[in-house]
Structure formats: structure tokens, C-alpha cells
Amino acid sequence: MDLDHGTLVAFAKSFGLFYLIAMSLVAVAYAFWPSKQAQFERAANDILDNEDTPCR
């Protein structure tokens, strides 16, 4: 196999595409994991609960 510039560029583009797709699937799986729902709900509501008073 000849490793010229074109071959390396094609490999880098393919690997990068599959890497980004895999990382996107991992992030989506983490965000929608059922045991994380309570943690995300608490984080979403904590911001709203602390804004009852004006900032000084």
C-alpha cells in the first residue's frame, strides 16, 4: 500500500467523520439516559429558583 498524501487525506476525512458520528451518538445517549433525568431536571430548575431576588 502506497501512503501518499491523497491516501492520508482520505483516511483522515473518513476517520474524522466516523469519530464525530460516534461522539454525537455518545452525547445523545448520555443526554437521554433515564437515570440522568433527575439530575438534568434539578440543574434546569436550580437556575430559576435562585432568581427570586434582584441582583446587587
Side-chain angles (χ1 to χ4, degrees):
M1 182 174 170
D2 189 23
L3 289 177
D4 61 345
H5 182 265
T7 304
L8 291 176
V9 168
F11 174 75
K13 286 182 178 181
S14 299
F15 180 75
L17 173 66
F18 293 127
Y19 177 76
L20 287 176
I21 290 172
M23 288 295 113
S24 299
L25 291 175
V26 168
V28 168
Y30 177 78
F32 288 107
W33 203 259
S35 64
K36 297 288 185 187
Q37 183 177 5
Q39 180 183 357
F40 291 146
E41 288 292 329
R42 188 175 65 244
N45 291 331
D46 280 349
I47 293 174
L48 299 175
D49 292 340
N50 292 334
E51 292 183 349
D52 292 337
T53 59
C55 296
R56 290 188 183 236

